[in-house]
Amino acid sequence: DAKTTQPPSMDCAEGRAANLPCNHSTISGNEYVYWYRQIHSQGPQYIIHGLKNNETNEMASLIITEDRKSSTLILPHATLRDTAVYYCIVRVASRDDKIIFGKGTRLHILP
Amino acid sequence: DTGVSQNPRHKITKRGQNVTFRCDPISEHNRLYWYRQTLGQGPEFLTYFQNEAQLEKSRLLSDRFSAERPKGSFSTLEIQRTEQGDSAMYLCASSVSLAYEQYFGPGTRLTVT
């Protein structure tokens, strides 16, 4: 079973920041938080990952709480192309080779 | 484009027929994964290879399913005696060992009638 809990769906206005929450209260000390997204009719796409520090790349920012029991993926200026299912995953990168996906959050960007 | 490619993109078959899908990973990626995704669900792991060795198989991979990666490059997934419950998107992904991310292909959508 997936080790994360996400809301099934969210809406966000185009141009605004989209904040996607994820709970992972049973995360272990050596497990990373990963985010992937899946645009309709495509395979999942890696977005970002982190261990305990906040991370930022060209796609998004990842904010992890100090106790590591939850995190938030931030898309700073959402566009219609960000409409997708977003998956929050915890895994040990070097050992757990397979990815265990949950149902994710379906993000709708509203024009 | 040097991403993961999968063929065919769509396959419609009748129950009881055999089907084979192909995955070409990103060049020099030594790990290759197969996942299955049904409507409204996240992808589920089926199996993975490191080079030509099949290192793990999910319990979802029944005896009717077989995967190969004979030369450590492309891989095939065969389903024998297809059933309607096999209807799904079959996704392939590749990575280098110990890499953080897996790169997914566009998938093969199987419909069993």
Side-chain angles (χ1 to χ4, degrees):
Chain A
D1 290 341
K3 301 178 183 179
T4 63
T5 304
Q6 299 178 253
S9 67
M10 292 182 62
D11 292 339
C12 179
E14 188 177 17
R16 305 295 294 269
N19 296 280
L20 292 94
C22 179
N23 287 322
H24 31 79
S25 58
T26 61
I27 191 170
S28 300
N30 61 349
E31 287 183 314
Y32 289 74
V33 179
Y34 282 76
W35 285 83
Y36 279 74
R37 75 179 182 183
Q38 188 172 22
I39 295 170
H40 183 61
S41 296
Q42 297 182 22
Q45 175 191 24
Y46 165 83
I47 301 173
I48 198 167
H49 76 279
L51 184 62
K52 54 185 178 181
N53 296 322
N54 298 337
E55 302 288 343
T56 296
N57 63 20
E58 65 278 5
M59 290 182 67
S61 294
L62 174 60
I63 309 297
I64 304 174
T65 57
E66 191 169 345
D67 64 7
R68 301 211 322 126
K69 293 186 177 182
S70 66
S71 60
T72 301
L73 179 75
I74 301 173
L75 307 178
H77 305 287
T79 71
L80 295 176
R81 288 177 295 182
D82 293 320
T83 294
V85 178
Y86 287 77
Y87 298 99
C88 172
I89 298 148
V90 295
R91 63 192 283 255
V92 179
S94 61
R95 190 171 71 232
D96 288 0
D97 300 292
K98 58 184 176 288
I99 298 174
I100 299 176
F101 291 87
K103 292 187 177 182
T105 295
R106 185 171 296 277
L107 177 66
H108 297 100
I109 305 301
L110 307 175
Chain B
D1 188 296
T2 57
V4 178
S5 62
Q6 293 187 245
N7 288 288
R9 293 293 308 277
H10 303 275
K11 179 70 177 179
I12 300 173
T13 191
K14 293 185 176 179
R15 189 174 52 192
Q17 298 294 305
N18 299 343
V19 294
T20 300
F21 310 139
R22 176 178 170 127
C23 171
D24 287 88
I26 293 172
S27 179
E28 298 180 357
H29 278 195
N30 58 343
R31 290 197 170 175
L32 187 148
Y33 309 80
W34 286 98
Y35 294 82
R36 181 177 72 183
Q37 185 174 27
T38 54
L39 201 61
Q41 305 295 316
E44 297 173 291
F45 169 77
L46 291 178
T47 188
Y48 93 92
F49 293 83
Q50 178 158 313
N51 299 314
E52 64 273 14
Q54 189 172 18
L55 296 187
E56 186 174 350
K57 293 193 292 186
S58 161
R59 59 179 173 78
L60 295 175
L61 213 65
S62 75
D63 291 345
R64 297 184 296 107
F65 288 69
S66 62
E68 294 183 342
R69 194 183 183 198
K71 297 183 180 180
S73 56
F74 72 92
S75 175
T76 57
L77 178 67
E78 180 183 17
I79 309 174
Q80 296 182 327
R81 304 181 303 283
T82 53
E83 302 172 355
Q84 286 189 319
D86 297 331
S87 295
M89 176 76 83
Y90 289 85
L91 293 160
C92 176
S94 71
S95 73
V96 295
S97 297
L98 306 183
Y100 291 111
E101 65 265 35
Q102 295 179 12
Y103 295 85
F104 284 80
T108 294
R109 181 167 296 283
L110 173 66
T111 302
V112 182
T113 62

